[in-house]
């Protein structure tokens, strides 16, 4: 938790950050280069981009929001990594209007596929931006987590709706346009030319535990983080995770 290079140790980022950091370390060893070229699609204000830059890597963030990119610039400057972070306005479906193909050692695609019209095209673009053997980090909304959350809240009809809806939505008021199963995300990645290395369930318990318990019980946050890390790679828990993370490597 004290590692200053990781993002704020939170239930939303901890598991993904540890996996991503290990993947970047492997790419450094494989390429023999200390500084990698990393692309963060939909990277917003830099929750991952700035910590990655603090590891010494060069990061390009592509995001459609000018406000997010302005906040990214300020955040990178405050962190002392402004020379290693570049923000570009754009989106993943028009990715090659703003960045080059085959130019990156790692591509992050976190919280993007839920909102694009064609997730398969989005994944293909992310993969096409990678150099051979480059690492892809993909994070998407999990179907099972939404079903479980609606059911536990007493909204049983909405839970059933999410389970049967083609996009995994529980109703017209659902703020998430699309959700995925682990199998669906893995298939998107595999079809795009990536060898899946690992699948992780993210926020398996975090969204179900009362916040007051985590905030007031001594040591509860740390133990919950350890529990999340312990179950992240267990397939049995992927079906109830709020988010699903797929880590893969582009086929050479």
């Amino acid at each position: 938790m004290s590692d200053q290079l990781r993002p704020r140790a939170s239930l939303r980022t901890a598991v993904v950050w540890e996996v991503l950091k290990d993947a970047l370390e492997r790419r450094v060893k494989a390429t023999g280069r200390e500084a990698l070229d990393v692309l963060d699609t939909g990277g917003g204000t830099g929750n991952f981009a700035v910590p990655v830059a603090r590891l010494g890597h060069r990061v390009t963030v592509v995001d459609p929001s000018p406000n997010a990119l302005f906040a990214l610039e300020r955040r990178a400057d405050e962190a002392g990594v402004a020379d290693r972070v570049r923000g570009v306005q754009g989106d993943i479906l028009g990715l090659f209007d703003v960045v080059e193909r085959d130019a990156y050692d790692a591509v992050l695609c976190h919280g993007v596929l839920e909102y694009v019209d064609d997730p398969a095209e989005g994944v293909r673009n992310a993969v096409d931006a990678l150099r051979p053997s480059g690492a892809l980090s993909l994070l998407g909304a999990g179907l099972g987590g939404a079903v479980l959350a609606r059911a536990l809240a007493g909204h049983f009809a909405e839970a059933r709706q999410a389970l049967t809806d083609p996009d995994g939505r529980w109703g017209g008021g659902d703020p998430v346009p699309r959700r995925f199963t682990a199998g669906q995300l893995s298939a998107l990645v595999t079809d795009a030319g990536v060898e899946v290395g690992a699948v992780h369930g993210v926020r398996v318990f975090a969204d179900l535990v009362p916040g007051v318990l985590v905030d007031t019980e001594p040591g509860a946050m740390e133990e919950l983080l350890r529990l999340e890390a312990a179950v992240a790679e267990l397939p049995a828990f992927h079906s109830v995770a709020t988010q699903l993370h797929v880590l893969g490597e582009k086929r050479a």
Side-chain angles (χ1 to χ4, degrees), residues 227-251:
L227 178 61
E228 290 280 352
V231 303
E233 287 196 58
L234 299 179
F237 292 93
H238 295 168
S239 60
V240 294
T242 299
Q243 293 180 311
L244 294 164
H245 180 245
V246 177
L247 182 72
E249 183 176 297
K250 183 177 181 177
R251 299 188 188 104

Side-chain angles (χ1 to χ4, degrees), residues 24-33 36:
L24 293 175
E25 289 174 356
R26 289 194 297 272
R27 292 310 304 151
V28 165
K29 293 177 181 178
T31 62
R33 291 184 284 110
L36 301 176

Side-chain angles (χ1 to χ4, degrees), residues 79-160:
V81 294
D83 59 329
R84 294 196 293 274
V85 176
R86 179 173 72 105
V88 181
Q89 189 172 2
D91 61 58
I92 197 165
L93 297 186
L95 189 60
F96 300 113
D97 294 334
V98 294
V99 303
E100 295 182 2
R101 297 177 185 268
D102 307 311
Y104 297 92
D105 301 293
V107 172
L108 282 58
C109 183
H110 295 171
V112 173
L113 298 185
E114 298 94 322
Y115 300 98
V116 299
D117 293 334
D118 189 341
E121 182 183 353
V123 175
R124 286 194 299 269
N125 285 351
V127 175
D128 285 347
L130 282 168
R131 292 168 178 149
S133 301
L136 175 68
S137 176
L138 183 70
L139 184 68
L143 170 63
V147 173
L148 183 61
R150 301 315 289 173
L152 291 179
H155 304 301
F156 306 120
E158 291 180 351
R160 185 164 52 84

Side-chain angles (χ1 to χ4, degrees), residues 57-224:
H57 306 305
R58 296 177 292 269
V59 187
T60 298
V61 175
V62 175
D63 196 278
S65 169
N67 290 336
L69 293 174
F70 177 77
L72 167 71
E73 183 179 354
R74 184 176 59 207
R75 188 173 189 172
D77 185 61
E78 291 173 351
V81 294
D83 59 329
R84 294 196 293 274
V85 176
R86 179 173 72 105
V88 181
Q89 189 172 2
D91 61 58
I92 197 165
L93 297 186
L95 189 60
F96 300 113
D97 294 334
V98 294
V99 303
E100 295 182 2
R101 297 177 185 268
D102 307 311
Y104 297 92
D105 301 293
V107 172
L108 282 58
C109 183
H110 295 171
V112 173
L113 298 185
E114 298 94 322
Y115 300 98
V116 299
D117 293 334
D118 189 341
E121 182 183 353
V123 175
R124 286 194 299 269
N125 285 351
V127 175
D128 285 347
L130 282 168
R131 292 168 178 149
S133 301
L136 175 68
S137 176
L138 183 70
L139 184 68
L143 170 63
V147 173
L148 183 61
R150 301 315 289 173
L152 291 179
H155 304 301
F156 306 120
E158 291 180 351
R160 185 164 52 84
Q161 171 70 17
L163 191 61
T164 58
D165 184 81
D167 292 322
R169 306 187 76 235
W170 48 256
D174 191 337
V176 179
R178 187 181 292 105
R179 294 184 178 86
F180 305 89
T181 65
Q184 288 171 335
L185 283 181
S186 295
L188 285 171
V189 167
T190 301
D191 291 346
V194 167
E195 191 72 33
V196 175
V199 178
H200 307 90
V202 180
R203 288 157 59 194
V204 175
F205 303 108
D207 293 344
L208 305 176
V209 175
V212 64
L213 172 64
V214 176
D215 293 337
T216 60
E217 186 71 20
M221 172 68 81
E222 290 75 13
E223 288 302 326
L224 183 52

